[in-house]
Amino acid sequence: METEATLSSYHIFNAVAETGNISKAAKALYISQPAISRAVSRLEESLSVKLFIRGSRGVRLTEEGKLLYEHTRSAFESLRQGEENLRRIHTLGIGHLRIGVSTTLCKYILMPYLQQFIRRYPHIRITIQCQSTFETLSLLEEGKLDIGLVGEPANTRLLHFYPIQKIEDIFVATETYLKNLELRSTENNSSNPFSILKNGNLMLLDEKNITRRYIEDYFEKNGIQTGQVLEVSNMDLLIDFSKIGLGIACVIREFVTKELKDGTLTEVPLPKKIEKRNIGFACSHTAVQSDAVKKFIQFCKGGTA
């Protein structure tokens, strides 16, 4: 017997067991009495057991029928509960949103969005998974994340990308460090306008990071040679290391506005600025977007969801 027919037969059996009467079950299901009787007979034949004892006042379950009814009642109750939960999710906006983001982007960009979003949609459960942008993009492709906050990737063929703001990469250091470095450069009679990046202790994100790749591309296009490079896992550490005078760090201007304003850090002057790039939310092109994802994207784009 095919699955669809089996489910239909169990549905009919369950209705007859609950009403104890074929006529009442027929009215409840909007099916004729003969159709009800045939369905019950086919089910009994399929299971090779007698499910009902028929009498003048209706039907009653056999012992085998009582056993089966315990299971069908539980199964259909679960289905009814599932339908109710779905209606509740739709009405209240309940859902689950899995967001991938780097620690730095989470701190400086995502948190303000989340604060306002949760205030508007308190019933949506949110899971934040912090890792590099490179790993976030991989998890999006594998369907293990719903959405990622990332720098715009070079290839967006497999992604929907929704830009939310532009950021600017700059090099910073303490004023003291730059003065000492300038003295060394003068003594070496260096005429290269980018020599400061070669002579200084350069601090960059690790090679798998999207930002690092963007900066390496900038170096290549401008023929910039670097000297000693210290690789760091996240931008907060780059900022902290530069503040204690450890070297020149490549950071995002928008994340060090306070330090630049109060003089804790100084921007390294370069003959050619690094082109600004987009930060935004990305999701898989092939994934089906849930209501929670759609609400979040619409919210971050400044619309009403």
Side-chain angles (χ1 to χ4, degrees), residues 7-288:
L7 290 174
S8 175
S9 297
Y10 283 137
H11 190 211
I12 291 171
F13 162 78
N14 200 69
V16 174
E18 287 180 345
T19 60
N21 188 285
I22 290 179
S23 176
K24 290 181 180 179
K27 289 181 180 179
L29 299 176
Y30 300 97
I31 302 175
S32 66
Q33 291 187 44
I36 293 283
S37 297
R38 286 195 297 272
V40 170
S41 296
R42 284 197 299 268
L43 185 59
E44 289 178 326
E45 182 179 346
S46 173
L47 298 175
S48 300
V49 294
K50 194 77 171 173
L51 298 173
F52 294 104
I53 298 174
R54 290 142 178 93
S56 57
R57 295 185 178 181
V59 297
R60 58 188 176 88
L61 290 165
T62 62
E63 290 303 314
E64 292 85 354
K66 290 177 182 179
L67 177 61
L68 181 62
Y69 177 55
E70 289 180 11
H71 293 281
T72 60
R73 178 179 59 187
S74 175
F76 285 111
E77 178 57 34
S78 293
L79 287 174
R80 280 192 288 269
Q81 186 62 50
E83 291 175 348
E84 178 60 31
N85 288 341
L86 286 176
R87 283 191 289 269
R88 185 164 170 263
I89 286 172
H90 180 72
T91 301
L92 297 178
I94 296 173
H96 184 199
L97 187 62
R98 301 169 301 170
I99 303 175
V101 62
S102 69
T103 304
T104 305
L105 291 182
C106 182
K107 175 181 177 180
Y108 291 100
I109 295 180
L110 181 60
M111 285 182 67
Y113 280 100
L114 282 180
Q115 186 178 19
Q116 296 300 320
F117 182 76
I118 292 172
R119 196 171 293 171
R120 183 180 297 184
Y121 301 103
H123 298 290
I124 292 180
R125 183 164 62 96
I126 297 176
T127 300
I128 305 296
Q129 191 166 324
C130 288
Q131 64 272 311
S132 71
T133 293
F134 179 81
E135 292 172 306
T136 292
L137 292 172
S138 296
L139 292 172
L140 283 173
E141 291 180 5
E142 295 171 13
K144 295 179 180 179
L145 290 173
D146 297 309
I147 196 165
L149 176 60
V150 297
E152 185 173 10
N155 184 4
T156 58
R157 184 173 57 86
L158 300 177
L159 296 170
H160 290 297
F161 183 76
Y162 308 92
I164 56 171
Q165 74 175 75
K166 284 187 175 294
I167 58 172
E168 183 181 4
D169 300 280
I170 61 173
F171 291 92
V172 297
T174 62
E175 188 174 352
T176 301
Y177 183 86
L178 292 178
K179 283 182 178 179
N180 292 335
L181 188 60
E182 186 178 348
L183 288 175
R184 292 211 309 268
S185 298
T186 302
E187 291 172 0
N188 294 333
N189 296 316
S190 176
S191 59
N192 186 339
F194 292 103
S195 62
I196 192 170
L197 298 181
K198 182 178 181 180
N199 297 333
N201 181 31
L202 194 59
M203 299 185 291
L204 303 172
L205 292 172
D206 60 73
E207 292 183 341
K208 286 188 176 181
N209 195 282
I210 297 294
T211 295
R212 172 67 178 274
R213 295 181 180 184
Y214 191 74
I215 297 305
E216 291 286 358
D217 185 58
Y218 169 80
F219 289 164
E220 185 177 349
K221 287 180 179 178
N222 291 278
I224 300 172
Q225 294 182 340
T226 58
Q228 183 176 339
V229 174
L230 172 64
E231 291 190 348
V232 181
S233 60
N234 67 72
M235 193 161 295
D236 275 344
L237 285 176
L238 283 177
I239 295 170
D240 289 339
F241 286 166
S242 62
K243 286 163 68 174
I244 64 173
L246 197 57
I248 300 172
C250 181
V251 300
I252 294 172
R253 180 187 297 278
E254 289 73 12
F255 302 165
V256 291
T257 52
K258 177 180 176 297
E259 288 82 357
L260 291 173
K261 186 176 181 179
D262 64 22
T264 304
L265 291 174
T266 300
E267 181 178 355
V268 176
L270 297 175
K272 185 176 181 181
K273 286 193 172 185
I274 304 169
E275 188 176 346
K276 291 184 178 182
R277 56 197 173 102
N278 283 317
I279 291 292
F281 291 100
C283 55
S284 172
H285 183 74
T286 58
V288 177

